[in-house]
Amino acid sequence: MSIRVDVRKFTKIEKASIKTGDFSLFVGDNNSGKTLMMELMYGIVNTISNWNVKIGCAKITEMEDITYIRFSSEWFAEMESSINNYLRDNKRGFLLECFSMEIPVEEITIHFEAAEEVFYVGTIAEMAYLEKEYADGNRENIAGNVAGTVDEMKLQLAKYALLDMLGLPVGKRQLFLPAARAGLQMLYRNFFVNMQGKSGMALPIYDYLKFLQTYSPRTQFGENEEDLIEFVDRELLGGKIEYRNDVFMYRESNCYVPLNMASSMIHELSSFSSVLQSEGSYGYLYYDEVENSIHPIKQGSIAKALMRFCNLGNKIIISTHSDTLAGRINNLILVSRMKNVIRKNEILEKLDWSILDMLQPEKAVYIYEFKKNEKGSVVVEELEFFDYPKIGYDFGRFNENIDMLYDESSCIMG
């Protein structure tokens, strides 16, 4: 499930319609609004996840000692309307909460995608349970063992239904990894000295600093989580990020180095590694300028790690200026979507890729290109996936750069 966020005249962005899929990628020029859009998405998800839900038009059926409550498209339309009314009538307050300043924006609206295709059924007795039913009749358990009074359980089930439609699993939170994460990780303790409120920081940045300030590592992981952590340690870090005596350290073999003395690549990747090992559970990750300080060859490995992270049931929104990273992501998605299993396995063997690197076929992918026009304003275009011919996503600006380099080389060589 996902939401669609529509904006008009948001800073330099003329208009944009962004869906929150399982794997979303923003590409485009510097200063084209990618980071601001990610921060806006963060603020909207934060608003909806903390929404004061109402039972409203949810259908309630009483049978003996059991209460059934159904949340269908009508209920989601009611929630959608109330949230959009808030964004319209309290736009200034929302922007101050999200950005700590009034960012120019004419209109912000949200829409729950696929709300017509599913509905949620809650069963309330001594405890409450919530299931999601699809159009084909299949059901999926969303939450169970919800306690409280009947009225409290009704509201809690409504909250879980809203979170699931948002794409944020029960018990998981969102986290923003800013482009300046390396510097913030070195200086985060100083930010909290004599700090009052958010001190003018955007909400996503402030939450990232709180993540560092209150960090606690986990000791137990699921099998697939361990596989991803080991992949990052082996293929990207060449060592391990550890949290010892309230300090982030880099361990290579048996040698420990304070993070501020490690290489820039290690410092940049430490944030992602710390998320994977955190006691907090983050199911919605925003990763700004992923390629910072990462060698082009290593960018292939971070692309694989992001696919694996998404396959664990997490949602991710990333931005990049790197044609290398975008190209690697494109190639992985191309092979992931191949229906010819024999051909797919041949490619995996030839490229020395693992089936674990393949994005699961049911994952929704959305890629957006931020393009500046002659007036300096930005148009956001959703890129189409071309299965045949096998080009995947056509990154216009990146292709222009490759053509330019080719033309330069041809001119120089005569």
Side-chain angles (χ1 to χ4, degrees), residues 173-217:
R173 292 175 283 169
Q174 60 173 352
L175 185 67
F176 189 97
L177 302 184
R181 52 191 168 271
L184 290 172
Q185 187 140 350
M186 284 194 291
L187 301 171
Y188 70 92
R189 295 184 189 278
N190 298 331
F191 283 105
F192 285 92
V193 177
N194 299 321
M195 188 169 161
Q196 296 181 354
K198 299 203 305 288
S199 295
M201 292 183 192
L203 176 65
I205 308 301
Y206 178 72
D207 284 351
Y208 175 67
L209 291 173
K210 285 198 301 182
F211 163 77
L212 296 174
Q213 185 75 9
T214 61
Y215 186 80
S216 179

Side-chain angles (χ1 to χ4, degrees), residues 240 242-244 249-258:
K240 192 171 183 64
E242 295 186 6
Y243 194 65
R244 298 168 61 88
M249 304 285 287
Y250 173 63
R251 175 168 66 85
E252 187 175 8
S253 299
N254 292 320
C255 179
Y256 284 89
V257 177

